[in-house]
């Protein structure tokens, strides 16, 4: 897929508690093709500490208006600076980057389970739109420590044909406990697609492998170039080090060697 | 107006090259720029055998810079010749291979195999990588060792031999002179500065290897100084690099004595930055009525 470097205009912002915000960005012309699970590298201007772009996954795509939305967790200087960008300002993106979901399992699942935790819920919105557009009825299971840390719920709940469930460690929303303890987790699916903290993804992948269900997880390593040139963001795989930015961020547990734990 | 310049027997259409390890094999950037407008591309450090490099995490951002500890992850020279060379041989620019090793034999073996590739006009001998346990910077911090490896490679390699120097020495001039005497056609400098960063919340180093190589705008003044000192002391052409992010930075290096420059870390922030630098050099020459860029090289 061809990659671009383009200035987008910020046309909308929404804050979710202290930790998350969504930024809606408008493209000057027709938006190129973007796969669910791909990411963008956002330039961070006006910071003395931050030089490198920040990799952020695509949360939503609105083809009609040539807009895309990024859901960002404020974790450091770079994302804090991004949270201060106002409407009307311009932001440079390098995109679309990486390999999205479904390449590893090689088919379009009709009854998939999409599991997200924390900032990892971000790519699952656009993924659920892409899947429902192809006739699938995905089940979404979104987890967090507490209700306030599950962002963008209104957008997930508005996806026609998707079934949204929540699990929180404190029981403040949905079922109490971890995603793997949720009552919908044990049901029958034709694929499990997951993005979230590594311990969560490992637990989900382990269970998917045990049940023989095709599975993909999306990694979030520290990156520099985003295009597979610098080899900074590598992860261990069965075939040696692979760039998360280019050969991922989506991998199967089998590729990562997470299937024999 | 003329931007072209020469490094040894290699002719460059303009002085802007890309630095090894920051530009992959070029194809990673072909969606963003016309590779044919570059003076040259220095591809990823290549060793005798395939190397996995260091464990993750290998990168930490620092103010106006970054540390890396990739550790020469690469496919090895045979795979390069078979899989990558046929693709890069199509580029309308100089493709230079950065050559690394843990022993003199390994450097020579890689250089010999690259010498056989018709479309590779030069190698950049990396005796300055701070991120490998054996060889690398070990060869580049001692004038006698540096001369020994360069002499050995010179014997087996007939095309343009550029030697990449480390700034992590007391006198980079002594190393440069030793390398010149041993038969190098050019020196490129600087490789990264040895650095370190700590994650205080987790009370751990930011890199798996604890220390790594610092690059980016923060190293630029050190690099300009090294280029100026070396250019004054040797007769062979100097290739300058270290923190170049725009045409102005490139001009600083040229005026300090660099015959060409390499752009590294800036490619991560703007993948089209090299084109802006080429345009900026043209614009500068126009504005100052300079008909040949070589007229401002080394004027300081």
């Amino acid at each position: 897929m061809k990659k671009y470097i383009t200035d987008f205009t910020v046309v909308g912002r929404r804050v979710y508690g202290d930790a998350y915000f969504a930024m809606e960005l408008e493209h000057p012309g027709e938006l190129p093709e973007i796969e669910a699970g791909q990411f963008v590298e956002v330039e961070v201007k006006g910071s003395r500490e931050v030089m490198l772009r920040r990799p952020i996954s695509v949360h939503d795509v609105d083809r009609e208006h040539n807009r895309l939305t990024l859901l960002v967790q404020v974790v450091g200087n770079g994302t804090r600076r991004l949270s201060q960008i106002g409407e009307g300002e311009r932001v440079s993106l390098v995109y679309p980057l990486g390999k999205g979901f479904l390449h590893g399992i090689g088919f379009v699942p009709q009854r998939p389970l999409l599991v997200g935790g924390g900032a990892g819920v971000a790519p699952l919105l656009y993924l659920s739109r892409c899947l429902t557009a192809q006739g699938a009825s995905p089940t979404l299971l979104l987890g967090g420590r507490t209700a306030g840390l599950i962002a963008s719920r209104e957008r997930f709940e508005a996806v026609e044909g998707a079934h949204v469930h929540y699990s929180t460690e404190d029981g403040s929303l949905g079922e109490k406990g971890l995603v793997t303890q949720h009552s919908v987790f044990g049901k029958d699916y034709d694929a499990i697609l997951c993005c979230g903290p590594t311990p969560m993804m490992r637990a989900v992948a382990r269970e998917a492998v045990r049940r023989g269900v095709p599975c993909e997880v999306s990694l979030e390593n520290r990156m520099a170039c985003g295009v597979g040139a610098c080899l900074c963001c590598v992860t261990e795989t069965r075939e040696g080090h692979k760039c998360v930015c280019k050969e991922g961020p989506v991998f199967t547990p089998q590729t990562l060697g997470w299937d024999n734990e | 107006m003329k931007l072209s310049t020469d490094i040894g027997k290699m002719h460059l259409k303009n002085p802007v090259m890309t630095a090894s390890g920051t530009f992959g094999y070029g194809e990673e950037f072909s969606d963003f720029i016309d590779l044919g407008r570059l003076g040259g591309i220095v591809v990823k450090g290549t060793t005798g055998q395939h190397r996995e490099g260091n464990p993750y995490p290998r990168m930490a951002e620092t103010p106006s810079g970054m540390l890396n500890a990739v550790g020469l992850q690469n496919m090895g020279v045979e795979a390069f010749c078979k899989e990558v060379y046929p693709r890069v041989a199509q580029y309308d620019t100089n493709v230079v291979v950065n050559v690394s090793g843990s022993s003199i034999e390994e450097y020579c073996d890689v250089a010999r195999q690259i010498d056989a590739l018709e479309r590779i006009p030069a190698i950049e001998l990396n005796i300055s990588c701070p991120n490998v346990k054996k060889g690398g910077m070990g060869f580049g911090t001692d004038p006698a060792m540096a001369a020994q490896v360069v002499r050995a490679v010179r014997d087996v390699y007939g095309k343009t031999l550029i030697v990449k120097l480390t700034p992590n020495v007391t006198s980079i001039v002594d190393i440069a002179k030793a390398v010149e005497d041993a038969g190098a056609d050019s020196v490129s400098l600087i490789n990264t500065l040895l650095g370190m960063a700590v994650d205080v919340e987790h009370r751990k180093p930011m890199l798996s290897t604890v220390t790594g190589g610092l690059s980016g705008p923060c190293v630029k003044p050190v690099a300009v100084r090294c280029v100026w000192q070396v250019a004054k002391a040797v007769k062979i052409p100097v290739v300058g690099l270290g923190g170049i992010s725009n045409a102005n930075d490139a001009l600083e290096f040229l005026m300090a004595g660099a015959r060409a420059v390499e752009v590294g870390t800036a490619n991560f922030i703007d993948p089209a930055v090299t084109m802006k630098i080429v345009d900026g050099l043209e614009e500068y020459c126009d504005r100052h009525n300079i008909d040949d860029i070589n007229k401002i090289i080394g004027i300081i």
Side-chain angles (χ1 to χ4, degrees), chain B residues 14-97:
Chain B
N14 65 58
V16 182
M17 303 203 278
T18 57
S20 176
T22 67
F23 207 68
Y25 294 110
E27 48 212 0
E28 292 83 352
F29 288 81
S30 60
D31 282 344
F32 306 108
I33 65 166
D34 173 4
L35 299 174
R37 283 194 69 209
L38 290 167
I41 295 171
V42 186
V43 301
K44 182 74 200 153
T46 302
T47 51
Q49 304 299 320
H50 155 97
R51 287 199 194 185
E52 275 300 309
N54 292 320
Y56 179 87
R58 296 172 165 187
M59 190 277 290
E61 193 173 16
T62 55
S64 295
M66 59 177 272
L67 292 164
N68 90 79
V70 171
L72 294 178
Q73 181 182 329
N74 79 100
M75 60 180 71
V77 66
E78 274 175 41
F80 173 82
C81 295
K82 218 163 71 195
E83 293 160 31
V84 179
Y85 173 67
R87 300 201 301 272
V88 299
Q90 310 296 319
Y91 299 165
D92 178 25
T93 187
N94 293 299
V95 177
V96 177
V97 177

Side-chain angles (χ1 to χ4, degrees), chain A residues 1-5 41 43 48-54 92 94-95 97 220-225 227-236 239-243 246, chain B residues 21-24 28-32 44 52-66 68 70 73-74 206-207 215-217 265 268-272:
Chain A
M1 274 169 96
K2 187 169 160 59
K3 299 183 274 287
Y4 301 85
I5 174 167
E41 282 252 54
E43 190 180 17
R48 263 184 302 175
E49 287 84 16
V50 182
M51 175 185 74
L52 297 169
R53 288 170 182 264
R54 290 296 184 262
S92 164
V94 174
Y95 78 107
L97 302 175
E220 192 186 52
N221 281 12
R222 221 187 280 157
M223 290 178 188
C225 74
V227 297
C230 70
L231 312 185
C232 287
C233 67
V234 293
T235 186
E236 300 266 359
E239 296 124 46
H241 282 138
K242 285 195 183 297
C243 284
K246 189 181 176 186
Chain B
T22 67
F23 207 68
E28 292 83 352
F29 288 81
S30 60
D31 282 344
F32 306 108
K44 182 74 200 153
E52 275 300 309
N54 292 320
Y56 179 87
R58 296 172 165 187
M59 190 277 290
E61 193 173 16
T62 55
S64 295
M66 59 177 272
N68 90 79
V70 171
Q73 181 182 329
N74 79 100
M206 293 287 280
L207 300 172
S215 65
T265 304
F268 305 158
I269 299 140
D270 179 358

Side-chain angles (χ1 to χ4, degrees), chain B residues 263-276:
Chain B
V263 180
T265 304
N267 291 303
F268 305 158
I269 299 140
D270 179 358
V273 69
T274 45
M275 297 297 101
K276 292 173 188 166

Side-chain angles (χ1 to χ4, degrees), chain B residues 221-239:
Chain B
V222 176
V224 175
R225 179 269 295 174
C226 289
V227 164
W228 180 74
Q229 289 179 325
V230 169
K232 288 270 179 266
V234 299
K235 290 181 192 71
I236 53 177
V238 175
V239 178

Side-chain angles (χ1 to χ4, degrees), chain A:
Chain A
M1 274 169 96
K2 187 169 160 59
K3 299 183 274 287
Y4 301 85
I5 174 167
T6 311
D7 279 349
F8 282 66
T9 306
V10 179
V11 291
R13 280 171 40 80
R14 176 156 183 176
V15 175
Y16 298 98
D18 298 331
Y20 294 92
F21 67 94
M23 187 158 65
E24 196 171 3
L25 301 164
E26 193 166 274
H27 186 263
E30 193 184 333
L31 207 55
E33 203 177 313
I34 299 172
E35 289 174 2
Q38 286 191 306
F39 66 97
V40 302
E41 282 252 54
V42 188
E43 190 180 17
V44 183
K45 280 190 182 138
S47 166
R48 263 184 302 175
E49 287 84 16
V50 182
M51 175 185 74
L52 297 169
R53 288 170 182 264
R54 290 296 184 262
I56 310 279
S57 68
V58 174
H59 183 45
D60 207 357
V61 175
D62 173 357
R63 298 222 148 263
E64 199 183 328
H65 300 99
N66 296 313
R67 289 176 181 184
L68 55 86
T69 302
L70 308 177
L71 178 65
V72 187
Q73 182 181 19
V74 179
V75 289
N77 291 324
T79 45
R80 189 169 306 113
R81 180 74 198 97
L82 288 178
S83 74
Q84 295 158 354
I85 298 176
E87 278 185 39
E89 286 189 57
R90 286 160 78 79
V91 180
S92 164
L93 302 189
V94 174
Y95 78 107
L97 302 175
K99 235 163 66 183
F101 284 102
L102 309 185
H103 289 281
I105 61 171
F107 67 98
V108 180
Q110 293 303 300
R111 293 171 291 104
L113 174 67
L114 278 47
V115 188
V121 305
L124 302 186
L125 179 69
Y126 182 46
L127 177 60
S128 58
R129 281 199 210 289
C130 294
L131 287 167
T132 54
Q134 293 178 83
S137 47
T139 298
L140 282 141
L141 177 54
L142 309 179
R145 228 170 47 239
T146 182
L149 293 175
I150 304 180
S152 204
R153 274 147 46 192
E154 79 291 349
R155 283 190 186 239
F156 282 104
E157 286 165 16
V159 179
E160 266 179 60
H163 312 279
V164 187
H165 303 270
Y166 300 106
S167 83
T168 49
E169 284 173 45
D170 66 357
S172 55
L173 180 71
E175 292 182 21
K176 183 174 174 170
L178 303 172
V179 287
T180 45
Q181 297 163 331
H182 195 283
S183 56
V184 302
F185 185 74
K187 293 196 173 155
D188 186 30
Y189 302 100
D190 58 355
I192 298 178
L193 309 171
C194 181
C195 184
T198 302
M200 185 198 99
M201 289 197 291
R202 280 184 177 264
V204 168
R206 195 180 308 126
E207 185 57 20
V209 169
R210 196 188 62 78
R211 287 191 227 160
V213 180
C215 177
E216 287 178 330
V217 297
S218 181
L219 304 186
E220 192 186 52
N221 281 12
R222 221 187 280 157
M223 290 178 188
C225 74
V227 297
C230 70
L231 312 185
C232 287
C233 67
V234 293
T235 186
E236 300 266 359
T237 74
R238 284 242 158 82
E239 296 124 46
H241 282 138
K242 285 195 183 297
C243 284
V244 170
C245 71
K246 189 181 176 186
E247 286 144 311
V250 179
F251 294 94
T252 63
Q254 288 77 12
T255 302
L256 296 173
W258 288 9
D259 53 335
N260 55 0
E261 294 178 346

